[in-house]
């Protein structure tokens, strides 16, 4: 549990970046308007020199660089140790940073730690470059680094690539990537990273089946709390680099392949899943492989295996020596002849104290090496998304180049799938 923050999502608040917030919420220092340094904010001129000059002055007194409503286009902007203490802030989604180079904004410095940097209330349009927001391992004691109420979209690689220690993303929305993921978390073994009330939507539009994970928790210590992954290739993954990952109050919805899975074979990794819903995914709701998994409350696999995409094995899969310690698991409505629960390699262990399973097309349980102490064949109590992440209308939108659109998905009400916008979940 070392270096892992406790859950902190407050009920009554929604996931994703929120409109209508003032830039004054995110800084308390002087404002340095990029227009005062010669930025044209016309969407085509390279305003990088103006931005860099504003950052330099803001760093002198811990101020904030202000991006007004409109499109500020720029080649690559690097935030290194010379920018420590600086905030980049805008007016919300109407304040667009448009990348003109190989990446948008980079947090990195080989010569020293990047600390006390914030990006807030700003939209980062990757504009077809590899990364919207990127950072690189540097071996220093970085952080805190905060990205709050930000929209990041249209990268060919990852919209967000986070590799520094002690980074936190709060109320951020990531959508529309081509060949990689919405959020890629990859710290270097010290410190931790946090994803709090974030949304990943529509990532992985290319034919690359390994692309498009909403939340790639490849970092060694990551906490996810109150997040939504919807309409991606895959919802969320851990890897064999994981030391400790915690996933709380999170929904994995309508992804092409799995909702949650581990791609590694690290039997010493510890993963906690607490109030996690996987619903309407094409493959497994959960694919538990190799690691040690603990569920102190409940996980739900509802209406998964909608297409049998990939190597699907059931609503919930145990494999490659997974060790389970699950308080309660509800598995209902698994489709296309797949079982509710299956141990595909017959070598997993541990316990599930209570399994509630019904209306699965295949057997409720097939070949499980995990001891299931109580099986109840009763209707699952399907949580709505707001029961997990808070709020009555989790905001999931995408930008089609001209306007903001509701992300339409399907939801399962415990009996059938129904067309709905995310706000109805």
């Amino acid at each position: 549990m070392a270096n892992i923050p406790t859950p902190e999502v407050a009920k009554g608040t929604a996931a994703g970046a929120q409109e209508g917030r003032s830039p004054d919420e995110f800084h308390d220092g002087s404002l340095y308007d990029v227009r005062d340094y010669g930025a044209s904010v016309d969407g085509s001129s390279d305003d990088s020199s103006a931005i860099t000059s504003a950052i330099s002055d803001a760093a002198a007194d811990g101020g904030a660089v202000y991006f007004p409503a409109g499109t500020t286009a720029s080649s690559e902007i690097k935030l290194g140790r010379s920018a420590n203490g600086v905030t980049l802030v805008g007016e919300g989604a109407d304040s667009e940073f448009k990348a003109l180079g190989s990446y948008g904004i980079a947090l990195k410095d080989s010569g020293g730690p990047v600390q006390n940097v914030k990006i807030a209330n700003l939209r980062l349009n990757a504009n077809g470059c590899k990364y919207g927001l990127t950072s690189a391992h540097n071996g220093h004691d970085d952080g805190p680094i905060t990205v709050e109420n930000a929209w990041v979209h249209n990268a060919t690689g990852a919209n967000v690539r986070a590799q520094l220690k002690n980074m936190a993303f709060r109320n951020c929305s990531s959508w529309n990537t081509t060949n990689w993921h919405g959020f890629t978390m990859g710290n270097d073994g010290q410190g931790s990273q946090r994803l709090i009330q974030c949304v990943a939507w529509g990532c992985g539009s290319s034919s690359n089946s390994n692309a498009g994970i909403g939340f790639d928790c490849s970092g060694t210590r990551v906490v996810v709390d109150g997040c939504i992954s919807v309409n991606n290739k895959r919802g969320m993954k851990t890897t064999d680099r994981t030391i400790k990952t915690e996933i709380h109050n999170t929904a994995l919805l309508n992804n092409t392949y799995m909702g949650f899975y581990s791609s590694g074979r690290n039997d010493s990794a510890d993963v906690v899943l607490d109030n996690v819903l996987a619903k309407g995914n094409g493959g497994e709701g959960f694919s538990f492989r190799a690691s040690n998994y603990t569920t102190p409350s409940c996980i739900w696999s509802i209406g998964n295996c909608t297409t049998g995409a990939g190597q699907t094995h059931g609503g919930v899969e145990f494999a490659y020596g997974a060790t389970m310690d699950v308080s309660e698991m509800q598995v209902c409505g698994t489709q296309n002849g797949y079982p509710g629960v299956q141990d595909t390699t017959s070598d997993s262990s541990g316990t599930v104290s209570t399994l509630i399973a019904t209306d699965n097309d295949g057997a409720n349980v097939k070949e499980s090496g995990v001891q299931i102490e109580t099986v109840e064949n009763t209707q699952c109590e399907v949580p709505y998304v707001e029961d997990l992440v808070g709020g009555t209308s989790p905001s999931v939108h995408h930008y089609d180049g001209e306007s903001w659109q509701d992300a339409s998905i399907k939801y399962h009400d415990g009996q059938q799938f129904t067309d709905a916008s995310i706000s109805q979940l």
Side-chain angles (χ1 to χ4, degrees), residues 174 192 243 269 280 316 319 393 402:
S174 172
S192 64
I243 294 174
V316 175
S393 180
E402 297 180 355

Side-chain angles (χ1 to χ4, degrees), residues 214-215 224 227-232 234-237 247 250-255 258-261 273 276-281 284-286 300 302 304 385 388:
F215 298 97
V224 180
C227 293
I228 300 174
S229 181
V230 59
N231 290 357
N232 304 292
R234 292 173 174 83
M236 181 178 293
K237 81 166 182 177
I247 304 160
T250 288
L252 311 169
L253 310 170
N254 204 45
N255 297 289
M258 303 98 147
F260 168 87
Y261 77 109
L273 296 102
V276 179
L277 166 68
K279 185 163 64 171
N281 298 287
E284 293 95 339
F286 298 93
W300 294 267
I302 307 297
N304 292 298
V385 171
L388 297 176

Side-chain angles (χ1 to χ4, degrees), residues 209-270:
S209 62
N210 293 317
I213 299 164
F215 298 97
D216 173 16
C217 298
S218 295
T220 53
R221 293 178 173 88
V222 181
V223 65
V224 180
D225 198 354
C227 293
I228 300 174
S229 181
V230 59
N231 290 357
N232 304 292
K233 284 281 182 64
R234 292 173 174 83
M236 181 178 293
K237 81 166 182 177
T238 58
T239 72
D240 53 10
R241 293 184 61 239
T242 297
I243 294 174
K244 182 75 173 183
T245 290
E246 295 194 10
I247 304 160
H248 303 272
N249 310 313
T250 288
L252 311 169
L253 310 170
N254 204 45
N255 297 289
T256 303
Y257 297 103
M258 303 98 147
F260 168 87
Y261 77 109
S262 174
S263 65
R265 299 289 186 268
N266 179 5
D267 60 8
S268 65
D270 292 319

Side-chain angles (χ1 to χ4, degrees), residues 53-84:
S53 296
I55 290 171
S56 179
D57 283 357
D61 70 352
V65 176
Y66 174 70
F67 293 79
T71 300
T72 305
S74 175
S75 51
E76 298 93 340
I77 293 296
K78 177 182 174 182
L79 298 176
R81 54 183 166 150
S82 63
N84 284 352

Side-chain angles (χ1 to χ4, degrees), residues 24-353:
D24 293 338
E25 293 183 45
F26 305 99
H27 76 98
D28 55 10
S30 301
L31 273 181
Y32 296 84
D33 191 324
V34 294
R35 292 171 297 187
D36 294 339
Y37 293 84
S40 60
V41 194
D42 62 7
S44 57
S45 302
D46 188 345
D47 290 331
S48 57
S49 294
I51 297 169
T52 300
S53 296
I55 290 171
S56 179
D57 283 357
D61 70 352
V65 176
Y66 174 70
F67 293 79
T71 300
T72 305
S74 175
S75 51
E76 298 93 340
I77 293 296
K78 177 182 174 182
L79 298 176
R81 54 183 166 150
S82 63
N84 284 352
V86 169
T87 296
L88 305 187
V89 69
E91 291 287 345
D94 289 336
S95 292
E96 176 187 8
F97 176 99
K98 179 181 176 183
L100 297 179
S102 58
Y103 60 82
I105 297 174
L107 295 145
K108 59 182 179 179
D109 194 327
S110 60
V114 181
Q115 298 176 326
N116 300 308
V117 172
K118 179 185 287 187
I119 299 170
N121 219 34
L122 188 65
R123 179 156 63 93
L124 306 182
N125 178 3
N127 192 36
C129 71
K130 189 171 183 179
Y131 305 117
L133 176 65
T134 185
S135 60
H137 298 299
N138 62 16
H140 300 294
D141 189 16
D142 300 296
I145 298 166
T146 305
V147 183
E148 185 171 5
N149 210 55
W151 297 255
V152 192
H153 60 103
N154 292 357
T156 56
N159 279 331
V160 175
R161 179 175 178 251
Q163 294 192 324
L164 294 182
K165 306 171 189 175
N166 303 316
M167 298 186 73
F169 295 82
R170 188 184 303 273
N171 285 110
C172 295
S173 296
S174 172
W175 73 99
N176 290 3
T177 67
T178 305
N179 286 312
W180 219 6
H181 313 319
F183 294 86
T184 295
M185 315 301 288
N187 63 52
D188 59 1
Q190 304 296 322
S192 64
Q193 295 174 320
R194 292 178 289 169
L195 288 159
I196 310 297
Q197 293 173 271
C198 294
V199 168
W201 186 94
C203 296
S205 61
S206 74
S207 59
N208 179 0
S209 62
N210 293 317
I213 299 164
F215 298 97
D216 173 16
C217 298
S218 295
T220 53
R221 293 178 173 88
V222 181
V223 65
V224 180
D225 198 354
C227 293
I228 300 174
S229 181
V230 59
N231 290 357
N232 304 292
K233 284 281 182 64
R234 292 173 174 83
M236 181 178 293
K237 81 166 182 177
T238 58
T239 72
D240 53 10
R241 293 184 61 239
T242 297
I243 294 174
K244 182 75 173 183
T245 290
E246 295 194 10
I247 304 160
H248 303 272
N249 310 313
T250 288
L252 311 169
L253 310 170
N254 204 45
N255 297 289
T256 303
Y257 297 103
M258 303 98 147
F260 168 87
Y261 77 109
S262 174
S263 65
R265 299 289 186 268
N266 179 5
D267 60 8
S268 65
D270 292 319
V271 181
V272 175
L273 296 102
D274 172 31
N275 285 332
V276 179
L277 166 68
K279 185 163 64 171
N281 298 287
E284 293 95 339
F286 298 93
S287 178
F288 296 116
R289 301 180 180 183
S291 303
N292 304 308
Y293 300 94
T294 302
T295 297
S297 54
C298 188
I299 58 173
W300 294 267
S301 172
I302 307 297
N304 292 298
C305 306
T306 60
T307 63
Q311 297 179 342
T312 300
H313 300 100
V316 175
E317 177 197 24
F318 307 134
Y320 302 109
T323 302
M324 310 301 300
D325 181 7
V326 178
S327 176
E328 182 176 322
M329 178 186 295
Q330 298 192 25
V331 185
C332 302
T334 307
Q335 300 186 38
N336 290 307
Y338 292 103
V341 178
Q342 180 173 195
D343 185 350
T344 56
T345 55
S346 302
D347 59 358
S348 296
S349 62
T351 61
V352 174
S353 296

